[in-house]
Amino acid sequence: MDTITNSQQTISSGIPIQAYARLEIDEFVADNAMTNLFLLSLIEMFKEDDTDKSNWNTFYSLGSIHSYPLEEYNGIPGLAERKGFVPLLSNSPQAIKSYMQTKAKEWTNSEAKIYKVAAERFRMPYWNPVAPRNPYKAPNKESIYGIPAILGAENVFVVYPNENESKPINNPLLSFFFPKGDLMEKKKRHKIPWDGLFNQDPPLSPHGTESTLRTPGQDGKTNIFGKAGLHSAIQKSAQFISTNLWKLLSRHPLPTSEAHAVGNDSRSWESFATNWVNPYHQGEIRDKDGKSINYQRDTSVSLESWHDTIHNLVGTGGYGTAGHMSFIEVAGFDPIFFMHHMNIDRILALYQAIYPKKWVPAELNEGQANDPLYVFREQISTTDLRPFKKSETSFYTSKDMELWEQLGYAVPGNRKPDDDGVNVIETYLHQQYNWSTVGSLPPFNYVKDFKHSVALCGEAATKDPKLQTFEAISDGKLVQRTLNLAADPITVIDTPIDPHFIHPSGHDSTFPASSLSTTPTGTTQRTWTAQVRVKKYAYNGSFNVHIFAGNFDRDNTAGYTVDDNQIGFTGIFAARTGTQCTNCDIQQDAKILYDDAIPISPHLFNYLPGGTKPDPSLPTLASFEVEHVVPWLRENLRWRVVDTGSNIYGEDTYSAAELEITVTDRIFHLPTPERPLGWYEPFDIHVSATSRRPGGAGYSAPAVA
């Protein structure tokens, strides 16, 4: 396979760096030429030629790097010796770009230059699952969320080279069709061991050998817009997922005391990056100097746990079978996998900009050096990230991956990390996410006009304005950047954005007055969280922990993700026994604990005086103060564990799984222009809120007479 060098990944000069940004998929689709070229190139990338030679840049080859069929790649055998997937996210877009450059050469008419430039400008789009997409349908604020149109359509339209009319095709962004077995045998390629995926709980849908599936329905096929389909699951999950993203990036220490710096400013890289708690350290995480950091509860949302929940959101089926994204073994074959990981890359780049000193440590501390998990993972910045070679004799390392600018793309709302730029980046994050975390509506015009999209509308598309718009940072200010794609060369127009801060008592706030307090330093709110801790490999594969308030249909496990009384869920994305993943086996032997947090406050708003009460039978919550919330939760908080086929695990399994649900609260200081992300005070634990039920913190099973 050809290796990808830094020189091939360098952004060319001429157009400002933001013109080469990775864009959210809805923004990306505004560019007809690039979208058309992207779709046509994916079709080519899905193919395997009828020869006995292997092309290691096909979609199948790149998808298999994540796990199955455990083939040698770049001279590195199987999954067992692979230790890095960040380069995969650079390697794959480069492979697609190569296909696009080849395809662009097929145009010989007046549009030849347009497609050539589009191929050069291409950067892989990302999928932001909590971006608003649909017009608001009162009074349901969830209606603004959902699956992007281009990721949910069964068919899309393309214009083939030198032709004028569009033609419908199967949407290559909806599913990948696996190559036929006889063709792969001819190439002497390994087979995916499908039988192993069928003979487990939950099994992969039987249709999964033909193509990738999302949220399989009762017929075992992809279910996007049906009952309990992916579209409605995203709508029901968006607010708690957005709130967790906010927690992942926001600041936690009080500004007046270093002693209270127990959050993101002092948490270790390992804590931010990973969701597992290390039993060798008795649940503690240590910083680079070996000092224990007691921040675990409520601030324990990690990039990995956020990432895992999205995997299970897409892969969880409702009727006994699961989709590919919930299986580590085959997740990499779903086209949405790469756009999900482009978003993870984006979040990481934003985190780096806010916390520029945080990265993979250069060496292990004393405690880590005696820990078999760390010894195997070798999580230091100079570890080889196999199987990704940067030359014939060397591999990429985390140090090579630290600066995202070197990888050939820009991140909207970001720039090279520096102390002066932190406030404007935090302002960008506030503009993007704060409104969602408080249950408000976007303070900006978010609805995209797809009437001119050829991919979505075909011949019915209106005249293409050839404009592409996204948010960016220019000269230290937040701007709306518009690219005029019709100009030669492309021109850039920046329009300043006046950041919108939701006033706690203003007309646009959905904060009930009973949830707020006024202090000398500003307005505060007591926030509530359900902390989830469980053995990562307790159920031999991926599973979900759902948190509810009050009554829910216990038997309708297929509807858990869309139940009105679901507060939220966390998705544990885990390998099953026999996956041939050495790292997974070591974690399993060490009985690693998975740690995540589910925000309760957004759901509790509904039960404050004047709230909508999803469950009318539940009592009104007088305020967000401890004396009111803890008794309310003690009576009404529920949880269930299901696999990604929505098969339920009984309460009798919770003890062996070491499931522990704990309620915590902490004071949040609302954002201001000076502190766009606000800040959190230290947390308090309320064992009594969950101790009465199996799986609750402090629960003790009744004595048997």
Side-chain angles (χ1 to χ4, degrees):
M1 173 190 164
D2 294 334
T3 57
I4 300 169
T5 65
N6 280 337
S7 62
Q8 290 174 296
Q9 297 178 31
T10 301
I11 294 178
S12 60
S13 59
I15 304 174
I17 189 170
Q18 286 84 354
Y20 288 95
R22 282 181 179 168
L23 300 182
E24 212 282 328
I25 184 62
D26 272 357
E27 296 168 334
F28 179 90
V29 171
D31 188 334
N32 272 329
M34 188 179 292
T35 302
N36 188 55
L37 189 59
F38 181 44
L39 294 172
L40 288 173
S41 298
L42 277 177
I43 294 170
E44 294 298 321
M45 202 172 181
F46 283 5
K47 297 176 182 177
E48 296 284 345
D49 60 41
D50 189 22
T51 69
D52 59 0
K53 295 182 179 180
S54 294
N55 179 354
W56 296 101
N57 270 339
T58 63
F59 192 88
Y60 178 83
S61 296
L62 293 170
S64 68
I65 295 175
H66 194 259
S67 183
Y68 279 177
L70 304 175
E71 292 185 295
E72 179 178 300
Y73 190 94
N74 244 1
I76 304 302
L79 179 65
E81 295 187 30
R82 298 178 188 171
K83 297 184 178 181
F85 292 109
V86 173
L88 171 60
L89 307 181
S90 174
N91 198 25
S92 301
Q94 288 293 333
I96 296 174
K97 185 181 181 73
S98 177
Y99 275 88
M100 291 175 69
Q101 290 172 328
T102 299
K103 176 61 68 174
K105 294 177 182 178
E106 295 182 22
W107 270 269
T108 58
N109 59 10
S110 60
E111 294 189 318
K113 184 176 181 180
I114 294 175
Y115 280 98
K116 179 180 179 181
V117 172
E120 292 301 322
R121 288 190 299 109
F122 172 77
R123 296 297 181 270
M124 186 76 172
Y126 66 89
W127 168 48
N128 177 7
V130 296
R133 305 187 189 279
N134 310 307
Y136 169 51
K137 295 181 180 179
N140 181 14
K141 291 182 178 178
E142 295 171 349
S143 61
I144 67 174
Y145 303 107
I147 189 74
I150 196 73
L151 298 184
E154 290 188 16
N155 297 300
V156 291
F157 297 88
V158 294
V159 180
Y160 289 96
N162 304 313
E163 294 186 7
N164 296 320
E165 295 184 357
S166 60
K167 297 178 181 178
I169 60 169
N170 291 331
N171 185 1
L173 293 176
L174 179 64
S175 56
F176 166 68
F177 286 82
F178 291 94
K180 301 298 182 182
D182 54 350
L183 179 59
M184 303 313 284
E185 286 182 11
K186 184 176 182 179
K187 296 178 181 293
K188 298 181 179 179
R189 300 284 292 273
H190 291 197
K191 294 181 180 180
I192 294 176
W194 294 113
D195 288 346
L197 295 173
F198 296 140
N199 298 324
Q200 63 169 299
D201 294 320
L204 177 70
S205 169
H207 298 284
T209 60
E210 301 168 10
S211 66
T212 54
L213 306 170
R214 297 173 190 164
T215 52
Q218 199 161 9
D219 60 359
K221 298 180 180 180
T222 287
N223 176 21
I224 300 294
F225 298 105
K227 185 178 179 181
L230 182 56
H231 184 69
S232 56
I234 291 172
Q235 291 183 324
K236 287 292 184 181
S237 305
Q239 188 173 5
F240 85 79
I241 291 173
S242 181
T243 301
N244 268 354
L245 179 57
W246 179 271
K247 283 190 172 188
L248 178 65
L249 296 172
S250 64
R251 296 184 180 277
H252 294 261
L254 284 166
T256 56
S257 171
E258 284 297 317
H260 290 101
V262 294
N264 276 334
D265 282 321
S266 64
R267 75 190 295 198
S268 67
W269 162 260
E270 292 88 346
S271 162
F272 163 77
T274 63
N275 59 27
W276 45 265
V277 178
N278 191 342
Y280 292 97
H281 293 153
Q282 291 75 51
E284 297 176 335
I285 299 292
R286 302 173 186 271
D287 64 16
K288 60 183 177 61
D289 298 319
K291 180 181 177 181
S292 175
I293 300 175
N294 182 28
Y295 68 85
Q296 272 299 99
R297 298 191 183 275
D298 196 22
T299 62
S300 62
V301 178
S302 69
L303 186 61
E304 188 172 11
S305 63
W306 197 88
H307 153 275
D308 287 6
T309 295
I310 304 302
H311 263 277
N312 283 12
L313 178 70
V314 177
T316 295
Y319 300 89
T321 61
H324 295 70
M325 275 285 279
S326 66
F327 292 93
I328 284 180
E329 299 91 329
V330 290
F333 293 114
D334 189 325
I336 208 172
F337 169 90
F338 291 97
M339 279 177 276
H340 168 45
H341 277 266
M342 296 303 111
N343 193 39
I344 297 298
D345 254 15
R346 165 182 167 266
I347 293 168
L348 175 57
L350 290 165
Y351 174 85
Q352 287 179 276
I354 302 172
Y355 309 99
K357 297 180 181 179
K358 304 290 184 181
W359 191 242
V360 182
E363 59 185 13
L364 299 180
N365 63 49
E366 182 177 351
Q368 294 166 341
N370 296 320
D371 182 334
L373 285 167
Y374 279 98
V375 170
F376 169 76
R377 289 169 65 98
E378 293 180 331
Q379 289 300 296
I380 57 177
S381 58
T382 55
T383 300
D384 287 345
L385 300 179
R386 299 168 177 256
F388 303 102
K389 293 181 177 180
K390 64 179 178 181
S391 72
E392 288 300 317
T393 58
S394 65
F395 294 91
Y396 283 102
T397 67
S398 294
K399 190 173 182 63
D400 297 321
M401 300 289 108
E402 183 171 3
L403 298 179
W404 49 265
E405 313 98 285
Q406 294 181 355
L407 301 180
Y409 66 90
V411 176
N414 201 356
R415 65 183 192 186
K416 186 175 181 180
D418 64 77
D419 293 337
D420 295 334
V422 167
N423 183 267
V424 70
I425 294 168
E426 291 182 338
T427 301
Y428 165 80
L429 290 169
H430 183 282
Q431 182 83 354
Q432 289 285 307
Y433 297 109
N434 181 248
W435 59 270
S436 179
T437 67
V438 303
S440 186
L441 294 172
F444 49 85
N445 182 18
Y446 64 89
V447 178
K448 304 294 189 297
D449 183 1
F450 294 121
K451 292 179 181 177
H452 69 273
S453 170
V454 174
L456 293 170
C457 302
E459 291 302 297
T462 59
K463 184 177 180 181
D464 186 359
K466 296 189 177 179
L467 298 176
Q468 193 169 44
T469 303
F470 52 94
E471 289 190 4
I473 291 175
S474 178
D475 296 328
K477 296 181 180 179
L478 192 61
V479 300
Q480 178 176 280
R481 172 153 289 161
T482 300
L483 304 182
N484 184 351
L485 305 176
D488 187 12
I490 293 171
T491 58
V492 178
I493 302 172
D494 286 343
T495 305
I497 293 175
D498 183 16
H500 182 91
F501 286 85
I502 298 175
H503 193 277
S505 60
H507 71 280
D508 55 0
S509 174
T510 57
F511 283 137
S514 50
S515 73
L516 301 172
S517 300
T518 301
T519 70
T521 59
T523 305
T524 64
Q525 181 183 75
R526 189 178 298 277
T527 62
W528 293 88
T529 297
Q531 181 80 17
V532 178
R533 185 169 287 184
V534 65
K535 282 183 181 177
K536 184 172 182 178
Y537 297 93
Y539 295 107
N540 194 28
S542 298
F543 61 98
N544 301 320
V545 179
H546 295 266
I547 306 292
F548 300 91
N551 298 310
F552 63 98
D553 190 343
R554 290 164 172 76
D555 297 327
N556 182 25
T557 56
Y560 278 6
T561 56
V562 296
D563 194 291
D564 286 340
N565 291 333
Q566 182 198 230
I567 293 174
F569 78 94
T570 182
I572 294 83
F573 185 51
R576 62 187 177 85
T577 302
T579 303
Q580 300 183 46
C581 167
T582 304
N583 187 18
C584 305
D585 292 342
I586 292 176
Q587 287 187 29
Q588 188 167 4
D589 290 343
K591 300 178 181 179
I592 280 295
L593 296 175
Y594 173 98
D595 201 57
D596 198 15
I598 298 174
I600 301 176
S601 295
H603 196 80
L604 292 184
F605 286 149
N606 299 311
Y607 291 94
L608 289 167
T612 58
K613 281 193 173 185
D615 185 345
S617 69
L618 298 189
T620 297
L621 183 62
S623 77
F624 263 25
E625 295 308 306
V626 174
E627 63 269 24
H628 295 132
V629 174
V630 171
W632 195 96
L633 292 175
R634 185 163 54 244
E635 293 299 321
N636 301 304
L637 200 65
R638 305 285 190 274
W639 47 88
R640 290 291 185 274
V641 180
V642 297
D643 65 24
T644 53
S646 296
N647 302 298
I648 197 163
Y649 291 108
E651 293 180 347
D652 58 340
T653 68
Y654 293 175
S655 178
E658 295 186 27
L659 176 67
E660 182 184 72
I661 309 295
T662 308
V663 168
T664 66
D665 88 280
R666 66 190 315 159
I667 298 298
F668 177 59
H669 292 251
L670 270 61
T672 64
E674 294 73 32
R675 288 181 172 271
L677 298 182
W679 69 88
Y680 291 87
E681 293 186 17
F683 60 86
D684 288 315
I685 298 174
H686 303 280
V687 173
S688 66
T690 59
S691 60
R692 295 171 56 185
R693 304 182 190 281
Y699 173 77
S700 180
V704 179

